[in-house]
Amino acid sequence: MTAAREAGNYDGVRCADLRGCLLRFDRVWLMTTARGDDPFSEMDPAEARLLRDGFSVARMEEYQGVRVLLLVGPASGTAPAAGLPG
């Protein structure tokens, strides 16, 4: 699969070992079109669980039709935002 930058879209290369890949990062940006209170609702349940278990929502911005979340790991030193799902 082509890297997102090369393809000109957001379809990046999927990591074969998502848990291993996530452990390399202190923060992750998540873009979602999920509606309702749960920004992880449209994700694969196993992938959503990995993100919920390893990261907290530090920031969430809502735009027309899309949400952008900053997820931070415990080593980031960034406190989670109050009132956001984490």
Side-chain angles (χ1 to χ4, degrees), residues 9-71:
N9 62 37
Y10 294 108
D11 294 333
V13 177
R14 299 210 38 99
C15 182
D17 173 21
L18 184 57
R19 180 179 296 283
C21 289
L22 287 174
L23 289 175
R24 300 182 335 199
F25 301 101
D26 322 355
R27 62 186 189 161
V28 173
W29 288 98
L30 174 67
M31 295 178 66
T32 181
T33 57
R35 303 270 185 216
D37 293 336
D38 183 5
F40 302 98
S41 66
E42 293 182 3
M43 294 182 71
D44 172 271
E47 292 179 4
R49 190 169 28 262
L50 284 172
L51 289 171
R52 286 177 202 242
D53 290 350
F55 296 87
S56 298
V57 178
R59 183 174 175 187
M60 181 170 61
E61 297 290 332
E62 295 195 40
Y63 302 95
Q64 187 172 2
V66 69
R67 288 186 204 172
V68 180
L69 292 88
L70 173 58
L71 307 176

